[in-house]
Amino acid sequence: MGCCLGGGDDTRDDKLNKKDSNEITPLTKSSSGGATSPIQFESGKAKLKLPFNCQTPIIKKNNNEIILFYTERKVTKYSTLNINEAKITSTVEVKCDNDDFDIFNTVYALNENDNKVYFIENNTNILTLDLNENANEIVSLNKTITTSNDNYASIIYNDATKKLYVIGAEEKSDEDENYELVPYSTAITVDKGNGKMESKIKGFGLYARAVNVKRDGADYIYICGGLAVKQGTAQPEELLLTYQLNNYSDKQWVSRYTSQPIVREGIINYDNQYIITFGGTVMRNKKTEDPCNWVYVLPLTDNNKGHEVKANEWYGLSKRLSVKGKSEGKLYFNAVEIDGIVHFISYNGKYYTMKMNDILTEINIGSKAEQTEGLVLLQPWTQQGKTATPTKALTITNMGPKQEPEKK
């Protein structure tokens, strides 16, 4: 709500160890007050300024291209970005049989079985776009989903099971052979004392991120973050849910917490070793930090080189993200990692890349008290007063397309 850079015969380790002579290292402040080099985007700047804002998920088309959906002058479009050349190679204007269709109000994923993008519009309608022949029409499947307890659905394709999952769609939803429904109402239930079980998942899923994970010999989907309405105020979500595929026991769902309550973050799963988030908006120490320049790391195994780096404990990189300028959306990201390179599209329409090797270097240093390099072990959010009133109301608005000036 998920490409290979440069091609050639490089192995994964070769790609991770390449150096970029154009990198710059301006100073930034660590949380302890000392100066440290930031975690660096390649070349220290954006590789491409897109001619549009982009707040929607990245789709990997193949090993060389990613697809970006956006709206321009109330028209839905998608552009193909060649990541080897860092340029837009094609743009398709998309029609829809629903005149009110707005890509900002959808979640979507590519179903690799039929090469179609499946959209959930307004948390209800299911539509598709066929990428096989660069189709330009989003069509309705004439199917809808139903959600419960003010939850919002997520959608994700899992390569291990070769299935498309609609997370949060209840059993009353329309079924289809091309996707599988995964309801929240039967997950993590509590006995209300009257013989009825009630789901503890409520008001979850709006702008949440979903990633696939393989650990302990099993396949999972992690759904985390987003926007929650609590105490009458919208604020970042703290919940992280893990759903084990093909497990029908009472441990199929597990409830955890994010590093901090978080929304608008870029997120990747690196080699089933680490969940890593970049930027976004967070709640830290009872205050809203917007935007946030942290990189958070969740190790998925205990097989780590870093000092005191343990599985299922959240850490923050001592080094921070550094983006120049004051443009809204500069530290809100969608991200995807391919062959040791993390590709970022910021909400304000800039394309960045970062070497995973730079992140792994910090992780492999491990947890250090001085907080100028390596990792910082985070205090669990449950101990930070998670019911605190946020310092300001938070809303997620469509930043909208950049309008061309009128010609005189």
Side-chain angles (χ1 to χ4, degrees), residues 148-149 151 184-202:
S148 63
N149 295 321
N151 292 313
Y184 280 146
S185 62
T186 55
I188 314 179
T189 55
V190 60
D191 190 342
K192 299 299 290 183
N194 56 3
K196 294 183 179 180
M197 303 300 290
E198 180 178 300
S199 175
K200 294 177 67 176
I201 304 175
K202 298 180 179 181

Side-chain angles (χ1 to χ4, degrees), residues 52 61-62 64-68 70 78-83 87-92 134:
F52 50 84
K61 183 178 181 181
N62 53 47
N64 303 306
E65 297 171 311
I66 58 178
I67 292 176
L68 309 172
Y70 57 98
Y78 71 89
S79 292
T80 300
L81 173 62
N82 185 301
I83 61 174
K87 72 176 184 180
I88 297 292
T89 56
S90 68
T91 296
V92 177
N134 288 324

Side-chain angles (χ1 to χ4, degrees), residues 12-13 16-17 39 270-271 273-274 276 297 304-306 317 337 340 354-366 374-375:
R12 186 178 184 87
D13 289 340
L16 289 177
N17 288 306
I39 192 72
Y270 178 70
D271 272 5
Q273 294 179 347
Y274 307 102
I276 305 174
V297 179
N304 303 297
K305 296 179 181 178
L317 259 65
E337 182 271 328
M354 181 183 291
K355 294 178 180 178
M356 268 304 306
N357 189 63
D358 292 342
I359 302 171
L360 293 175
T361 296
E362 299 302 314
I363 295 174
N364 291 340
I365 290 172
L375 300 176

Side-chain angles (χ1 to χ4, degrees), residues 105-119:
N105 294 326
T106 69
V107 292
Y108 57 83
L110 176 64
N111 187 341
E112 296 183 14
N113 295 318
D114 57 13
N115 202 35
K116 292 181 180 179
V117 180
Y118 284 70
F119 302 85

